[in-house]
Amino acid sequence: MLFNSYEFIFLYFPIVLLGFFLIGKYSYRFGALWLAAASLFFYGWWNPKFVTLLLGSIFFNFAAGYLIGHKTFAAKQKIIFFISIAINLILLGVFKYTNFFIATAN
């Protein structure tokens, strides 16, 4: 689904927007959960097998943020930060740019 496709403009976007305002009126957290689920659906529409990759990345970044913010890991905050940035960049490089580098090398 592309941002300029009819499915997005006339179906997905109005449902997500209306759902967010209706749900967000009662609970901010459920509104945010609605947007997160809608985002995963949007990403899964393109290629469902990458939703697990996205969920793994989300959980990894949540855990890294928790460790960085937790007081017991204060001495290792910078190390955890730089390792998590490196892992995110490696994932980006592998899953987004591998085909580009292979095509360029050929």
Side-chain angles (χ1 to χ4, degrees), residues 25-40:
K25 191 181 347 178
Y26 298 105
S27 172
Y28 170 77
R29 290 185 187 264
F30 285 134
L33 185 63
W34 168 258
L35 286 181
S39 297
L40 286 172

Side-chain angles (χ1 to χ4, degrees), residues 4-24:
N4 60 351
S5 67
Y6 290 120
E7 295 93 10
F8 179 82
I9 295 171
F10 295 115
L11 189 64
Y12 176 81
F13 184 67
I15 290 172
V16 170
L17 191 66
L18 183 66
F20 173 71
F21 282 117
L22 290 175
I23 295 169

Side-chain angles (χ1 to χ4, degrees), residues 27-98:
S27 172
Y28 170 77
R29 290 185 187 264
F30 285 134
L33 185 63
W34 168 258
L35 286 181
S39 297
L40 286 172
F41 175 81
F42 180 78
Y43 194 74
W45 185 277
W46 172 62
N47 197 342
K49 70 178 183 177
F50 288 133
V51 172
T52 55
L53 173 69
L54 184 61
L55 286 172
S57 177
I58 290 169
F59 288 123
F60 169 76
N61 287 309
F62 180 82
Y66 177 80
L67 292 176
I68 290 169
H70 206 265
K71 301 264 190 251
T72 57
F73 297 99
K76 309 250 189 237
Q77 287 175 339
K78 287 184 181 180
I79 295 170
I80 295 169
F81 174 72
F82 287 118
I83 289 173
S84 64
I85 294 292
I87 289 173
N88 279 296
L89 288 174
I90 289 168
L91 277 174
L92 179 67
V94 168
F95 287 99
K96 187 167 175 109
Y97 296 112
T98 300

